[in-house]
Amino acid sequence: MKKILIAALCLATFAAQGQKDYTKYIRTTVGTDSEYILSHGNVLPFTARPWGMNHWTPQTAANGEPWQYVYDAYRIVGLKQTHQPSPWGGDYAMFSLMPTVGERKFLEKDRQSWFSHKTEKAMPHYYSVYLAEHFVHAEMSPTTRACMMRFTFSAGEQSNVVIDAFDNASYIKVIPEENKVVGYTTQYYHNGKRAPDNFKNYFVVRFNKPFREFEVWQNDGFVSQSEVTAKRTGVVVTFSTAQNERIEARIASSFISPEQAELNLKSEVGDKSFDQIVKEGRDEWNKYLSRFEVRDSKLDDLDNVRMFYTALYRMFIYPRTLFEYDATGKMMHYSPFNGQVLPGYMYTDNGYWDTFRAARPFFDLFFPEWSTGYLESLANVYKESGWLPEWISPGHVDAMIGSNSASIIASAYLNGIRNLDMATLWEAVDKMAHNAHPSISSVGRYGIKYYEQYGYIPSDVGVTEEVARTLEYAYADWCVAKVAQALGKDKQTVDAFAGRALNYKNVFNPKWKLMSQRDSKGNFATNFNPIAWNYGFTEGCSLHYSWSVFHDPKGLAALMGGDKAFVSKLDSVFLTPPAFDVSGYGGKVIHEVREMNIQDFGQYAHGNQPIQHMIYLYDWTSEPWKTQYWARQVMSRLYSPTSDGYCGDEDNGQTSAWYVFSALGLYPVNPGTGEYAIGSPLFREVVVTLPDGKKLTIGAPNNSDERLYVNKLTVNGQPYNKNYVTMKQIRGGGQMLFDMSAKPNTSRGTGEVARPYSMTDDKTLK
Ligand code: CA
């Protein structure tokens, strides 16, 4: 009787958990209608497990092309294991499989097939497509480090699978007696060397049927060998198949060794059926997606739900897991910094210039147990390379600016994640604050000696993007000061960083009341133009970057002339037509410029990261309803669950994190404060399951497209007039209940006391 009862209870629990499948709302192809001159996301339709070591994508372009899958293409050339974090950085360590029929052909142009999106199922855990020219239904479903593919050859007869190890020095070996192909793939096609010389991606592909024949490819043609090492290698294996026969491929890889690739295959795929892998993938995704349950019985637009879960999916794609488990179950990783195999966590493929803003803080808030491992990875990057990461893929990449690793550490530590190796992380963050990497400008602080000498980086000392660097360094210094304070460092240390955190004031041009270039004599640029891109800024102009004072909006408002002047400066971003001066790029209209230009949001450039927090700065003013208005405008006009669904580069989950936070009615303007600025929730109800299982209900029963303003807010039944909630309030669970209105409530949240943190008011930093 007892046994039966337990079984019944288990079933009931399972049924409750298994009730909702959120993956059905997700389209991995959202944002894939992108090209060099205009980005609608610049993402690939990845099928992967959350933080998967490998992503799998159909490819419409030859290996080596940055835009590997574009929505308006007609032909598929392969199903590929990829590690590409952005088309601008390019791929590394990739290989692909492609089923064909008839004569054995190898190159993309010879093996490609027409396809239709109508035959595509592009889901987080499963992808399938009909390859029309080969009469093949191709399917794939990955695990973290492996994948199963299934090819249904409807024509029968001579059926082939091309394995293309591509890359710049690869290896292929066919082991026919085991129905197996092993190999490795190595380097990158552009953007230089990003790993030690011994870097390899070892792979194994095991089929469920013996080969009838096979032919190995070496550089430009087939060779009569079963094993080759060359610039480009591959193989075409041939099967005798009956009509509609299914050929299955079990695939795994490792960055550690060929033996580890076999182990990954055994432990993650083994003898499981294809359908079982699909189910496990769906369950794993739902484990995370179900933490955010949109309940909206009067839903106006299913597209909002689709966009919400699609954005949530994107946030779990990066960073990439780079650790593997050895035969004893010990966590090991290949170090892309020193080439050794070492114990412990390692994640890669992330650009902090993008993700420090909202993508990484999201996990500190909602998945702190995951962030703990992530911060161990950060400490390992420092131990193995002597530097903290700013852009890694898989090793340090020389891209973008800032010292935003300080924000990553502050966000985790100051949001209460305490089981971290702070001895190492403090040493690291302190070193980064005072040093520039000898050869990689993105690592450490490029131009630091000028920053320390002048309190800003002058425009005439040969350091580019100097205003943007000054602003981001000043914010990083605030992060370091607060971490130092929390660690109980001496007052002198805290004061020194707190002093530097005010350096943003040194590039504030009082004539224009905007940030601008300033030379070493202290003179501001006389030819200043607020809409001129580049001049001292990174992928933006002064109107975009003048808001990068995350830690002291009140101080910034004071510089601009106080509350009303600050509001009107914020307003001016939307009111200034989207004109631009690109003389700083030699007249070239880079894609971020065009993306700002075409959205009809004035100068507000949501397609790039620097300005993405700016809408929430109205919460620091007497007119917080403008945050609510603009947040809803951006959600409804600049996001849609379509192939052109983003308004610029999605960038490692950041632009998706903006949407997910905003849809919850929250945004982490300064991730180190543990405060979340309040916007306008998108749904009538979302139930968030918190790390310890508590629930937070974010309700807005009378919400609609028109009723987008916050009239009243109660938190756990108490009237709540502040423009922010804290990490502690969110983690405590309960209910945030919004009363929405079609007209702004011009008296709610307007006073000083309602405003979130500003350093100006921080008595502990005096
Ligand atoms: Ca960007």
Side-chain angles (χ1 to χ4, degrees):
M1 181 62 200
K2 206 174 166 189
K3 261 187 188 166
I4 293 168
L5 191 65
I6 289 167
L9 273 173
C10 287
L11 267 177
T13 315
F14 180 75
Q17 282 171 349
Q19 260 172 1
K20 276 211 160 172
D21 175 16
Y22 295 94
T23 64
K24 70 181 181 189
Y25 298 115
I26 297 168
R27 285 160 173 66
T28 63
T29 50
V30 169
T32 60
D33 180 10
S34 295
E35 58 181 301
Y36 180 84
I37 60 163
L38 191 71
S39 167
H40 286 124
N42 265 338
V43 291
L44 293 171
F46 294 134
T47 291
R49 292 284 174 94
W51 308 291
M53 190 169 87
N54 312 300
H55 300 152
W56 298 84
T57 182
Q59 48 178 148
T60 59
N63 275 320
E65 294 289 328
W67 277 262
Q68 275 289 287
Y69 176 101
V70 289
Y71 200 78
D72 63 357
Y74 296 122
R75 295 177 185 85
I76 281 176
V77 306
L79 303 174
K80 175 183 175 179
Q81 189 196 93
T82 166
H83 308 95
Q84 176 165 301
S86 154
W88 308 108
D91 207 348
Y92 63 91
M94 66 277 222
F95 65 94
S96 60
L97 276 73
M98 176 73 182
T100 66
V101 291
E103 188 191 341
R104 280 186 287 276
K105 293 174 177 173
F106 184 78
L107 293 173
E108 291 94 335
K109 66 182 171 55
D110 301 319
R111 72 195 193 210
Q112 66 185 351
S113 169
W114 276 76
F115 79 107
S116 163
H117 292 299
K118 293 179 184 65
T119 74
E120 251 185 340
K121 261 197 163 170
M123 305 178 79
H125 59 292
Y126 173 78
Y127 175 85
S128 70
V129 69
Y130 183 61
L131 299 168
E133 289 183 79
H134 304 303
F135 318 110
V136 176
H137 284 281
E139 301 168 280
M140 60 178 169
S141 185
T143 65
T144 302
R145 301 169 189 83
C147 182
M148 249 183 109
M149 291 191 191
R150 183 162 73 177
F151 307 123
T152 306
F153 289 92
S154 58
E157 297 299 324
Q158 176 156 320
S159 301
N160 314 306
V161 176
V162 180
I163 301 172
D164 186 347
F166 185 65
D167 263 358
N168 204 2
S170 58
Y171 165 74
I172 276 281
K173 182 182 180 185
V174 185
I175 308 168
E177 57 277 18
E178 295 179 46
N179 311 334
K180 197 161 89 176
V181 175
V182 297
Y184 62 68
T185 169
T186 55
Q187 288 295 330
Y188 334 103
Y189 76 93
H190 80 197
N191 259 13
K193 193 163 165 286
R194 305 189 300 218
D197 288 338
N198 68 349
F199 175 76
K200 287 183 177 66
N201 182 19
Y202 303 94
F203 61 81
V204 50
V205 184
R206 201 177 80 223
F207 291 93
N208 63 336
K209 187 170 186 169
F211 310 140
R212 191 179 83 196
E213 293 160 295
F214 65 87
E215 268 186 292
V216 166
W217 183 273
Q218 181 179 345
N219 295 334
D220 304 316
F222 288 113
V223 290
S224 53
Q225 290 162 255
S226 61
E227 183 177 7
V228 291
T229 308
K231 187 170 187 303
R232 184 178 191 176
T233 66
V235 64
V236 184
V237 296
T238 299
F239 303 92
S240 295
T241 51
Q243 203 173 5
N244 289 325
E245 184 169 342
R246 281 171 165 174
I247 296 292
E248 287 177 353
R250 288 160 199 266
I251 310 158
S253 62
S254 166
F255 292 110
I256 293 175
S257 68
E259 297 76 27
Q260 182 67 43
E262 296 275 4
L263 191 58
N264 291 343
L265 185 63
K266 193 174 152 210
S267 58
E268 296 192 4
V269 176
D271 296 323
K272 288 172 189 168
S273 71
F274 184 85
D275 294 339
Q276 199 175 344
I277 298 286
V278 173
K279 185 193 173 301
E280 287 177 7
R282 184 170 51 230
D283 289 350
E284 189 177 341
W285 273 105
N286 278 320
K287 187 174 106 183
Y288 295 105
L289 301 169
S290 65
R291 293 274 291 266
F292 302 87
E293 192 189 340
V294 175
R295 291 180 187 171
D296 196 333
S297 55
K298 291 183 281 183
L299 193 69
D300 306 297
D301 192 346
L302 187 60
D303 274 2
N304 291 341
V305 178
R306 291 190 171 124
M307 190 66 230
F308 181 81
Y309 288 107
T310 297
L312 199 51
Y313 142 82
R314 279 284 160 205
M315 294 175 68
F316 283 86
I317 290 294
Y318 300 106
R320 178 182 316 293
T321 293
L322 212 66
F323 55 86
E324 306 172 50
Y325 293 98
D326 74 8
T328 66
K330 192 175 167 197
M331 182 189 284
M332 304 294 290
H333 67 268
Y334 169 85
S335 169
F337 306 99
N338 65 20
Q340 296 173 28
V341 176
L342 297 164
Y345 280 101
M346 182 57 62
Y347 288 96
T348 191
D349 286 334
N350 224 254
Y352 289 164
W353 184 79
D354 302 291
T355 61
F356 86 85
R357 300 161 198 273
R360 298 274 61 80
F362 177 85
F363 291 93
D364 298 333
L365 177 63
F366 293 119
F367 298 89
E369 66 290 355
W370 181 86
S371 278
T372 304
Y374 185 66
L375 269 286
E376 186 185 319
S377 163
L378 213 68
N380 286 337
V381 174
Y382 177 69
K383 287 181 196 162
E384 292 164 28
S385 74
W387 300 87
L388 284 172
E390 293 296 335
W391 227 120
I392 45 175
S393 176
H396 294 296
V397 177
D398 201 353
M400 308 315 289
I401 64 142
S403 193
N404 298 308
S405 51
S407 181
I408 304 291
I409 293 167
S411 175
Y413 192 63
L414 302 174
N415 272 291
I417 302 175
R418 284 298 149 97
N419 45 343
L420 304 172
D421 176 7
M422 285 311 289
T424 299
L425 290 171
W426 170 258
E427 179 191 313
V429 85
D430 189 38
K431 178 183 170 182
M432 297 308 107
H434 299 294
N435 291 279
H437 191 282
S439 58
I440 308 171
S441 75
S442 62
V443 176
R445 295 201 192 182
Y446 183 61
I448 185 65
K449 70 172 181 179
Y450 303 109
Y451 180 79
E452 289 185 336
Q453 184 184 343
Y454 294 95
Y456 63 99
I457 303 177
S459 54
D460 53 352
V461 295
V463 177
T464 58
E465 301 161 270
E466 67 279 8
V467 185
R469 286 182 208 275
T470 299
L471 294 170
E472 291 189 24
Y473 291 173
Y475 165 62
D477 283 331
W478 177 88
C479 291
V480 182
K482 292 306 273 189
V483 170
Q485 198 178 50
L487 288 172
K489 298 289 172 191
D490 57 79
K491 190 172 180 312
Q492 201 184 342
T493 304
V494 176
D495 287 351
F497 283 110
R500 286 161 48 140
L502 297 173
N503 280 345
Y504 71 87
K505 297 184 179 181
N506 298 336
V507 285
F508 184 80
N509 183 330
K511 183 182 161 202
W512 285 85
K513 303 215 176 301
L514 288 169
M515 302 297 173
S516 87
Q517 289 181 302
R518 190 178 193 186
D519 69 20
S520 56
K521 295 192 181 67
N523 303 313
F524 285 100
T526 49
N527 60 346
F528 174 71
N529 177 358
I531 62 162
W533 288 55
N534 200 12
Y535 298 96
F537 299 102
T538 302
E539 294 178 357
C541 63
S542 175
L543 270 185
H544 305 143
Y545 245 105
S546 289
W547 316 105
S548 291
V549 187
F550 309 91
H551 54 300
D552 199 14
K554 185 175 178 176
L556 177 65
L559 288 177
M560 288 182 170
D563 179 65
K564 289 292 169 202
F566 188 46
V567 169
S568 88
K569 210 66 159 175
L570 288 163
D571 291 346
S572 75
V573 170
F574 300 104
L575 296 171
T576 308
F580 49 83
D581 173 339
V582 287
S583 56
Y585 300 129
K588 187 177 167 191
V589 180
I590 63 169
H591 74 98
E592 289 91 350
V593 173
R594 187 59 70 199
E595 288 144 18
M596 175 207 70
N597 172 235
I598 61 178
Q599 312 297 358
D600 192 19
F601 267 83
Q603 287 285 328
Y604 181 71
H606 193 76
N608 205 15
Q609 284 65 38
I611 205 168
Q612 287 181 347
H613 66 293
M614 174 240 151
I615 280 173
Y616 286 91
L617 292 182
Y618 286 112
D619 274 351
W620 275 258
T621 76
S622 58
E623 301 183 25
W625 61 88
K626 288 181 176 171
T627 290
Q628 298 150 26
Y629 174 80
W630 286 113
R632 288 290 282 268
Q633 292 302 306
V634 171
M635 279 187 269
S636 67
R637 287 157 57 189
L638 297 181
Y639 290 83
S640 63
T642 53
S643 58
D644 63 349
Y646 291 96
C647 61
D649 288 357
E650 195 283 324
D651 279 334
N652 294 170
Q654 167 55 28
T655 302
S656 295
W658 188 95
Y659 185 89
V660 170
F661 264 124
S662 294
L664 298 175
L666 305 168
Y667 194 78
V669 171
N670 176 347
T673 56
E675 291 180 355
Y676 298 82
I678 292 171
S680 173
L682 181 61
F683 299 106
R684 290 189 180 84
E685 189 174 300
V686 180
V687 178
V688 181
T689 303
L690 297 157
D692 61 358
K694 285 198 199 90
K695 306 274 184 190
L696 171 70
T697 300
I698 300 170
N702 58 355
N703 201 356
S704 73
D705 285 350
E706 291 72 39
R707 300 172 73 92
L708 55 84
Y709 293 105
V710 178
N711 184 41
K712 271 191 287 189
L713 170 62
T714 57
V715 175
N716 293 328
Q718 300 298 313
Y720 194 80
N721 293 315
K722 290 184 175 150
N723 295 331
Y724 65 95
V725 286
T726 64
M727 174 271 289
K728 281 206 174 98
Q729 286 175 298
I730 293 171
R731 290 252 189 87
Q735 191 184 45
M736 292 175 68
L737 188 61
F738 290 85
D739 174 43
M740 306 300 284
S741 128
K743 288 208 177 96
N745 179 340
T746 55
S747 60
R748 190 201 165 274
T750 54
E752 285 259 357
V753 67
R755 294 171 196 170
Y757 177 94
S758 283
M759 185 182 164
T760 295
D761 292 333
D762 187 344
K763 293 188 176 59
T764 73
L765 288 184
K766 294 276 160 56

